[in-house]
Amino acid sequence: MTAVVIRGGLVVGESSSSRADVLIDNGRLVEVATSVSAPSGAYNIDAQGCWVGPGFVDLHAHLREPGSEAAETVESGARAGALGGYSAIVAMPNTEPPLDTPALVAYVLERGARTPLDVAVAGAITQGRRGELLAPMAEMAALGVRIFTDDGTGVQDPAVMRRALTYAKPLGVRLAQHCEDERLAAGGSMNEGALSSRLGLVGRPALAEELMVLRDLELVRLTGGPMHFLHLSTARSVGLVAAARREGLPVSCEVAPHHFTLDEGAVATFDPIFKVHPPLRTPKDVAALRAALRSGEVDAVATDHAPHAPEQKDLPFDEAPPGMLGLEHAAALTYEALGAREASPELLFSVMSRGPARVAQLRAGDYRVRHGAHGGPMRAGDDANVVVFDPEARWTASRHSLASRASNTPYDGRAMLGRVRALVVRGELVVIVGTLA
Ligand code: NCD
């Protein structure tokens, strides 16, 4: 294995950062110091002006395998993730069939092991994601599954969710809920409000999300089972989870880049690229999500990367499937939301790496996936899962230059600031100068 030296970047620790060189050898950080002498033959990465921190971790990637390989595969999704700076991604279980048995989990883990990243798997909470009978969670946990979710839909029946939380606690796993009450959201394709009335589209009310957040917070209080709230999209939702955390409940939450960069106004184009569940909300919600991110109330930015093949996505708005791509643009969008040149590097790495690594139990001392620990402190001895992020790089997002098999990004043509320059996974260079090695 060739040694790698990352020179002259700002090395981002948990609470402070300093300019240093990073020497990587044999899959580990060997030295972090103002000037390191490299072994001969080492690969040098110039990181002047860049932020050097633990590789990003995505809690929420729909990799579509098995079942919808025309839209994405584990392999293409991992390439998209690598370009986005991720050293680990969590594959969601709403595949066809859903990942609700140890055999299906093992299949995706095995596909993931052929990629350069760590691909962790989230298992389904219920058999077939039908929300009725619990899936064999213990058997899947034995394979290393640490997150269970029926994402795509929320578990509607409170008795089922109560039982799942009761099981989750002793297993040491976390449930992740897609918060939308199906009856309140029924038939809706955008946020419910004055705009949906004007456009003549049926709405999905904010209350459909908030009611389920409220219900599940009470179920967590009752059972003590830990819960992660997926893709929160309203001001009230993030406020509720933040308040519950202050009370000491075992809860965490994520927000997705599209919910803090786009609002429901985009739907006036009737372009199905802007259709997503939960839907894009009001400008006020967008501002509240950005404020929550900046105040540290959000554990993770998670992409909800949801590839769809063009022939499936290009339908009239109310018929198109929900979801948009995320892996390749999340870092720049998060940097922008944190204030771009005003952004705190520690906060960027908290929401993009350390927070999600904690939620997914991918840190040192947790269950170890192939490439070791993620979200580390950037000290000598850490497993070398490292990203180099250039906060000054200007570029333009394009749907035509994505590693993903799908192209349903809402950011085509958007000017971006901040880009992944390099990614090292367990000491191996995966991305160099912004392209796959
Ligand atoms: C997700 C998908 O396509 O798998 N789509 C989405 O709009 N977020 C599933 C989901 O959470 O609805």
Side-chain angles (χ1 to χ4, degrees):
M1 193 182 277
T2 315
V4 175
V5 190
I6 302 173
R7 291 220 180 264
L10 185 74
V11 177
V12 184
E14 277 160 353
S15 53
S16 65
S17 305
S18 55
R19 213 153 296 288
D21 294 348
V22 178
L23 170 62
I24 293 168
D25 204 2
N26 271 319
R28 286 184 188 273
L29 304 195
V30 174
E31 200 182 344
V32 182
T34 29
S35 173
V36 304
S37 49
S40 66
Y43 191 94
N44 272 275
I45 296 174
D46 176 11
Q48 299 278 343
C50 294
W51 294 355
V52 182
F56 302 141
V57 174
D58 188 25
L59 290 171
H60 197 146
H62 297 280
L63 301 183
R64 303 299 191 219
E65 201 178 345
S68 302
E69 289 83 354
E72 199 77 288
T73 60
V74 174
E75 199 261 330
S76 63
R79 281 193 286 123
L83 288 174
Y86 292 92
S87 53
I89 54 181
V90 179
M92 294 309 257
N94 65 332
T95 49
E96 291 161 37
L99 309 181
D100 62 355
T101 63
L104 284 156
V105 166
Y107 173 78
V108 177
L109 287 174
E110 189 266 324
R111 308 295 291 178
R114 298 187 199 177
T115 76
L117 308 189
D118 268 330
V119 178
V121 172
I125 297 173
T126 67
Q127 296 175 26
R129 294 176 50 248
R130 285 185 295 274
E132 294 161 2
L133 298 170
L134 294 188
M137 287 165 57
E139 286 83 346
M140 290 189 271
L143 293 178
V145 174
R146 290 295 175 267
I147 294 179
F148 289 88
T149 180
D150 277 2
D151 181 55
T153 50
V155 175
Q156 303 292 312
D157 184 336
V160 173
M161 196 41 130
R162 177 185 182 180
R163 205 171 307 134
L165 281 163
T166 306
Y167 268 76
K169 194 179 172 193
L171 282 178
V173 301
R174 186 175 287 258
L175 300 187
Q177 178 74 306
H178 173 130
C179 290
E180 281 191 300
D181 181 297
E182 265 174 9
R183 295 209 175 144
L184 278 173
S189 57
M190 69 171 291
N191 183 45
E192 180 182 288
L195 184 62
S196 63
S197 302
R198 201 144 29 88
L199 298 177
L201 290 170
V202 179
R204 304 173 82 81
L207 186 65
E209 176 175 318
E210 293 155 356
L211 212 52
M212 198 174 267
V213 171
L214 277 162
R215 184 200 81 176
D216 282 4
L217 288 173
E218 290 310 308
L219 291 173
V220 168
R221 192 191 306 283
L222 177 73
T223 58
M227 183 170 286
H228 178 71
F229 291 85
L230 298 165
H231 46 40
L232 293 181
S233 69
T234 82
R236 188 149 178 238
S237 294
V238 287
L240 287 166
V241 175
R245 193 208 320 263
R246 283 194 291 273
E247 274 185 66
L249 293 188
V251 291
S252 56
C253 72
E254 65 181 41
V255 292
H258 46 265
H259 287 133
F260 61 73
T261 54
L262 304 169
D263 65 59
E264 61 175 1
V267 178
T269 58
F270 292 102
D271 186 340
I273 210 93
F274 297 112
K275 181 170 174 181
V276 65
H277 290 171
L280 302 178
R281 302 288 188 187
T282 67
K284 251 180 150 163
D285 292 305
V286 173
L289 261 44
R290 290 168 92 96
L293 255 182
R294 290 187 196 195
S295 70
E297 278 175 352
V298 169
D299 298 85
V301 167
T303 65
D304 192 9
H305 180 82
H308 291 289
E311 64 279 12
Q312 279 163 356
K313 185 72 174 165
D314 294 344
L315 294 173
F317 198 87
D318 51 355
E319 290 168 32
M324 44 182 76
L325 300 183
L327 284 166
E328 295 178 61
H329 300 136
L333 296 166
T334 303
Y335 176 63
E336 175 197 299
L338 291 176
R341 295 200 171 89
E342 308 294 311
S344 140
E346 295 83 15
L347 193 50
L348 180 92
F349 280 93
S350 167
V351 293
M352 292 292 293
S353 174
R354 294 180 173 120
R358 185 181 66 244
V359 172
Q361 300 190 47
L362 294 172
R363 294 184 306 173
D366 291 334
Y367 173 81
R368 307 303 289 273
V369 270
R370 242 170 13 119
H371 297 304
H374 298 266
M378 291 298 292
R379 286 199 290 260
D382 280 9
D383 291 318
N385 294 319
V386 176
V387 66
V388 179
F389 178 76
D390 180 353
E392 291 296 329
R394 293 185 174 283
W395 55 295
T396 303
S398 166
R399 66 195 294 267
H400 303 293
S401 59
L402 296 166
S404 176
R405 279 200 177 179
S407 57
N408 55 309
T409 170
Y411 300 111
D412 188 39
R414 185 179 174 115
M416 301 282 201
L417 179 65
R419 192 168 203 179
V420 169
R421 180 180 290 186
L423 175 70
V424 177
V425 180
R426 204 56 180 289
E428 299 279 6
L429 271 166
V430 176
V431 173
I432 317 170
V433 215
T435 51
L436 290 161

